[in-house]
């Protein structure tokens, strides 16, 4: 089927939105009708498995009562005492079925109108298909703010529905001086798809620690997630993400330091097996001086799987004294697996310190022999080494995140 | 500690071995009995470290011919982890750094692997912490090193102490210590040597691979072997090491020349 026909059919299958997302849906529809679905000619999608993307889009988006019933039965680990949990169950109105903790509240209509879509627009990249796919299909909005100078923890869980595709839209406004420890968990289901568009605005002096655990696990589950973050001056943002177990996943974090003078830390891990494809396409742009970035992207690919990392950093003339470091470290565990990694640094300012590097290696024989020579069996030694490899990313998650058993899942797969 | 009835722990016969298709060991013969301390000395490249790796079962080293028997059983076909579990311990010349792997967890997993072989109960986290704290005293090591990644950021001396700590936990039957004295200052050398002495048992044995006699001032060997060109060319007692320290390795060349002339 031609890409344009496929695209139109998909768009026609989507229910029409009302409210805040009506206009967003129009923007997404218009773009997709004009541009069509991505092709290998689009640089950002060149390595993407478009068959898997088409499977993603061929799943029905209409959620029925049976689906709602099955998702409501999903069992999750017990929530932390100090961390409020929001579970996003599709078509459940209103989306917020909990009492929000002190210092976190829903955005007012005015605040939504003022902010929604602006961050994603300012991080716009050519042929922004991931965003438009979400705009066209998202029917619900979770819009929250953390009030000025509050210090809060929050967990947002988004489960998938078997045989269905869901889209979610999230907007978080974190007001001046506030601190938020945010943990997001995406889980897959058999033959399911998720599409997320998350916008986060950090006002000045905000500290946001953002953990994102994205676990496909089940058969043929897919995920596309665009995360657009705008940082005001003197804000600190640290993102720690894990993608694992998806047949197809695409993660697009885009961070803008709107006036520079902010600090960004990104530690990402993607782990693939079987014929999975997981990609991360990051963009960090400094719109003012004295910005700092520390980015580490790790990938582990085994069997026939494929990991992709494209890391763009933009340092225009006005971003003098920027200090940015990007490192892509990759582990190939099979001859048939594939890893593509591409740093893209666009530096115009002349008084900056920017470094980047990429390595692809295998598990080190000498490390393995050292463990074996102490009587540790091969499987256990490999597990220890992998855990060590993951540690640079997973050690940043709060201890309580361990209840999602992601470390065990990451290691168990590779031991098979 | 040596008696005529001592059991043979390690018996190496006419061992030839290669790495990357290059033969390094050209027929090593060595017998180590329980309670014995052997020192192997020799120039760089004489095959000392290769011998230690071959005994421990490093996969990059290939045994071409000959045998290695541990308590009468040929171990050439055993995987390195199996050799370690039955009591073969290699103290590394350059202990490997493993970022992200906790030293404490590594030590516990290794200790439990050995204990399982000895039909002892496996230790849980708390029991192991008690044991390791007690063994730390042998090498005068700061418990803070347990919390760090395996050997990561350790100084040369700390790495070697960590090796002896592993020896203390695994309670091997034979320990092959590859240049454990290299990179140590006088104090660290004394601590490491005292640890090795404390761990020596009438039922276990030790092979010290070293360049210098100074380690042998601290640990008295029963036998001193000199390796050259992948063979043990001379065996003696501690006096041989003292002689070597005085006159250097030149006598090896002299011996070789004499041999050639005679032939």
């Amino acid at each position: 089927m031609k890409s344009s026909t496929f695209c139109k059919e998909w768009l026609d299958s989507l229910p029409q939105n009302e409210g805040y997302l009506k206009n967003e849906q129009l923007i997404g529809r218009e773009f997709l009708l004009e541009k069509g679905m991505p092709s290998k000619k689009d640089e950002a999608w060149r390595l993407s498995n478009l068959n898997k993307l088409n499977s993603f889009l061929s799943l029905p988006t209409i959620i029925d009562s049976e689906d709602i019933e099955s998702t409501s039965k999903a069992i999750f680990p017990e929530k932390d005492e100090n961390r409020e949990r929001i579970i996003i169950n599709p078509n459940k109105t209103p989306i917020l079925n909990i009492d929000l903790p002190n210092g976190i509240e829903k955005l007012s209509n005015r605040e939504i109108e003022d902010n929604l879509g602006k961050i994603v627009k300012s991080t716009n990249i050519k042929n922004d298909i991931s965003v438009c796919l979400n705009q066209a299909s998202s029917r619900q909005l979770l819009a929250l703010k953390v009030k000025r100078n509050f210090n809060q923890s929050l967990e947002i869980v988004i489960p998938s529905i078997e045989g269905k595709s869901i889209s979610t839209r999230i907007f978080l406004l974190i007001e001046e001086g506030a601190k938020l420890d945010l943990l997001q968990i995406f889980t897959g289901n058999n033959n399911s798809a998720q599409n997320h568009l998350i916008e986060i605005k950090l006002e000045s002096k905000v500290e946001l620690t953002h953990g994102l655990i994205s676990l496909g696990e089940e058969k043929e589950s897919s995920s596309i997630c665009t995360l657009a973050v705008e940082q005001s001056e003197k804000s600190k943002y640290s993102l720690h993400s894990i993608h694992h177990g998806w047949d197809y996943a695409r993660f697009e974090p885009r961070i803008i330091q709107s006036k520079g003078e902010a600090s960004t830390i990104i530690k990402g891990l993607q782990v693939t097996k079987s014929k999975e494809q997981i990609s991360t396409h990051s963009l960090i742009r400094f719109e003012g001086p004295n910005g700092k970035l520390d980015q580490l992207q790790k990938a582990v690919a085994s069997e026939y799987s494929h990991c992709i990392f494209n890391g763009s950093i933009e340092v225009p003339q006005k971003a003098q004294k920027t200090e940015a470091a990007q490192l892509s470290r990759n582990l190939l565990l099979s001859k048939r697996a594939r890893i593509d990694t591409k740093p893209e640094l666009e530096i115009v300012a002349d008084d900056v310190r920017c470094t980047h590097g990429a390595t692809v290696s295998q598990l080190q024989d000498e490390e393995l022999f050292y463990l074996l020579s102490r009587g540790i069996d091969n499987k256990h030694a490999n597990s220890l080494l992998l855990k060590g490899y993951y540690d640079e990313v997973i050690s940043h998650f709060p201890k309580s995140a361990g209840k999602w058993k992601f470390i065990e899942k990451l290691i168990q797969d590779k031991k098979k | 500690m040596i008696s005529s009835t001592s059991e043979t722990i390690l018996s190496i016969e006419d061992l030839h071995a290669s790495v990357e298709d290059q033969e390094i060991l050209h027929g090593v013969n060595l017998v180590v009995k329980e309670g014995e301390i052997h020192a192997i000395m020799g120039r760089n490249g004489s095959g000392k470290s290769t011998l230690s790796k071959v005994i421990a079962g490093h996969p990059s080293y290939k045994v071409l011919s000959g045998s290695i028997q541990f308590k009468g059983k040929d171990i050439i076909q055993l995987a390195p982890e199996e050799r370690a579990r039955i009591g073969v311990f290699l103290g590394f010349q350059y202990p490997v750094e493993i970022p992200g792997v906790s030293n404490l967890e590594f030590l516990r997993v290794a200790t439990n692997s050995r204990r399982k072989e000895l039909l002892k109960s496996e230790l849980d986290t708390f029991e192991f912490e008690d044991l390791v704290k007690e063994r730390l005293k042998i090498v005068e090591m700061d418990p803070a090193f347990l919390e760090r990644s395996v050997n990561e950021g350790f100084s040369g001396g700390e790495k070697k102490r960590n090796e002896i700590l592993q020896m203390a936990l695994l309670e091997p039957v034979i320990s092959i210590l590859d240049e454990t004295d290299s990179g140590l200052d006088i104090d660290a050398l004394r601590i490491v040597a005292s640890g090795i002495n404390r761990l020596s048992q009438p039922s276990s044995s030790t092979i010290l691979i070293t360049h210098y006699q100074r380690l042998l001032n601290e640990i008295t060997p029963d036998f001193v072997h000199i390796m050259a060109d992948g063979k043990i060319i001379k065996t003696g007692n501690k006096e041989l090491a003292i002689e070597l320290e005085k006159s250097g390795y030149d006598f090896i060349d002299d011996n070789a020349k004499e041999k050639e002339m005679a032939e």
Side-chain angles (χ1 to χ4, degrees), chain A residues 293-386:
Chain A
L293 166 71
D294 176 11
Q295 182 177 21
L296 170 70
Q297 183 67 32
K298 284 194 153 184
V300 179
S302 60
E303 298 175 45
Y304 296 86
S305 64
H306 187 186
C307 277
I308 302 164
F309 171 60
N310 280 346
S312 295
I313 297 176
E314 294 178 8
V315 188
Q317 186 65 33
K318 57 189 164 188
Q320 299 293 350
K321 307 259 182 218
T322 294
E323 286 182 25
Q326 182 194 73
L327 183 61
S328 160
R329 292 186 63 199
N330 306 282
L331 207 52
L332 257 181
L333 295 183
S334 132
K335 283 180 185 166
R336 308 261 177 159
R338 178 175 166 182
I339 288 176
D340 286 276
T341 175
K342 188 170 82 168
E344 283 179 278
L345 277 70
E346 195 181 303
I347 303 167
V348 181
D350 46 15
D351 185 13
V352 298
R353 200 160 66 202
C354 295
T355 59
H356 71 92
T359 60
V360 179
S361 59
Q362 295 168 327
L363 277 182
Q364 298 296 310
D365 289 345
E366 288 307 311
E367 291 180 358
L368 185 62
F369 176 66
Y370 191 69
L371 299 182
L372 296 176
S373 78
R374 298 304 183 241
I376 300 172
D377 67 58
N378 208 29
K379 270 188 183 175
H380 207 144
N382 274 296
S383 296
L384 277 174
L385 291 179
L386 278 173

Side-chain angles (χ1 to χ4, degrees), chain A residues 365-378 380 384-385 387-389 391-392, chain B residues 58-59 81 84-85 89-90 92 96-101 105-106 109-110 113 151 163 166:
Chain A
D365 289 345
E366 288 307 311
E367 291 180 358
L368 185 62
F369 176 66
Y370 191 69
L371 299 182
L372 296 176
S373 78
R374 298 304 183 241
I376 300 172
D377 67 58
N378 208 29
H380 207 144
L384 277 174
L385 291 179
K387 203 169 154 194
Y389 189 81
D391 189 68
E392 272 182 289
Chain B
H58 194 297
E81 61 272 27
R85 274 182 232 144
F89 178 83
L90 170 63
F92 280 58
V96 181
E97 295 191 11
I98 312 181
V101 176
E105 192 181 356
F106 156 66
V109 175
S113 303
N151 293 322
E163 292 293 288
Q166 289 164 48

Side-chain angles (χ1 to χ4, degrees), chain B:
Chain B
M1 282 191 199
I2 312 169
S3 80
S4 56
T5 55
S6 295
E7 189 191 350
T8 299
I9 303 278
L10 186 74
S11 169
I12 297 173
E13 272 182 43
D14 196 25
L15 183 67
H16 292 251
S18 66
V19 61
E20 290 170 355
D21 291 331
Q22 193 185 349
E23 186 171 331
I24 308 286
L25 300 184
H26 299 287
V28 174
N29 290 291
L30 179 67
V31 174
V32 180
K33 292 186 173 182
E34 61 184 10
E36 292 177 354
I37 297 176
H38 290 239
I40 299 179
M41 304 179 80
R43 281 181 172 141
N44 289 330
S46 58
K48 305 184 302 292
S49 287
T50 297
L51 176 63
S52 70
K53 296 254 174 71
V54 171
I55 297 170
H58 194 297
S60 302
Y61 295 79
K62 199 174 161 192
V63 173
L64 303 172
S65 62
S67 69
I68 307 172
Q69 293 203 331
F70 176 81
K71 291 189 165 182
K73 187 186 167 195
D74 197 323
I75 57 167
I76 287 176
Q77 298 308 322
L78 293 187
E81 61 272 27
E82 292 169 316
R83 298 183 198 200
R85 274 182 232 144
I86 59 174
V88 177
F89 178 83
L90 170 63
F92 280 58
Q93 182 180 1
Y94 303 109
V96 181
E97 295 191 11
I98 312 181
V101 176
S102 133
N103 200 27
L104 185 66
E105 192 181 356
F106 156 66
L107 294 170
R108 191 172 69 85
V109 175
T111 304
N112 278 336
S113 303
R114 173 87 175 115
R115 286 179 70 89
K116 213 171 160 184
E117 180 73 25
L118 296 171
L119 303 175
K120 289 182 181 175
S121 63
E122 290 187 39
L123 301 174
D124 64 28
T125 320
F126 301 110
E127 291 167 329
F128 181 70
E129 275 184 28
D130 290 344
L131 174 71
V132 79
K133 273 181 188 156
E134 177 208 314
R135 300 290 154 96
L136 275 172
K137 291 176 197 158
I138 295 174
V139 281
E140 298 177 32
M141 209 167 138
D142 186 339
F145 286 99
L146 299 173
E147 303 304 325
R148 289 164 60 173
S149 296
V150 178
N151 293 322
E152 194 185 34
F154 288 25
S155 70
E158 288 154 359
K159 282 180 182 169
K160 296 297 170 77
R161 286 190 208 197
N162 204 30
E163 292 293 288
I164 304 305
L165 174 63
Q166 289 164 48
M167 183 177 155
L169 289 164
L170 297 176
E171 299 176 9
V173 179
I174 185 159
S175 306
I176 304 136
L177 305 175
D178 189 5
E179 297 199 24
T180 296
D181 52 341
S182 67
L184 297 184
D185 59 35
I186 297 165
D187 290 337
L189 178 77
R190 195 180 35 75
I191 292 164
V192 164
S194 127
I196 296 168
N197 280 328
R198 283 178 65 181
L199 295 170
S200 287
Q201 299 289 328
S203 56
S204 65
S205 45
T206 308
I207 299 175
L208 301 168
I209 291 172
T210 181
H211 274 294
Y212 307 106
Q213 198 246 330
R214 62 176 193 165
L215 178 66
L216 306 182
N217 286 336
E218 305 284 339
I219 306 169
T220 311
D222 301 302
F223 299 95
V224 174
H225 310 277
I226 295 169
M227 263 189 100
D229 194 26
K231 279 183 191 175
I232 289 175
I233 56 156
K234 196 164 184 171
T235 295
N237 56 18
K238 193 172 177 265
E239 298 304 314
L240 180 59
I242 295 167
E243 166 106 25
L244 203 60
E245 187 82 358
K246 272 189 210 156
S247 53
Y249 287 106
D250 288 345
F251 81 96
I252 296 172
D253 303 327
D254 298 340
N255 280 1
K257 272 182 201 161
E258 276 171 27
K259 209 175 165 188
E260 260 176 44
M261 297 272 278
E263 277 171 8

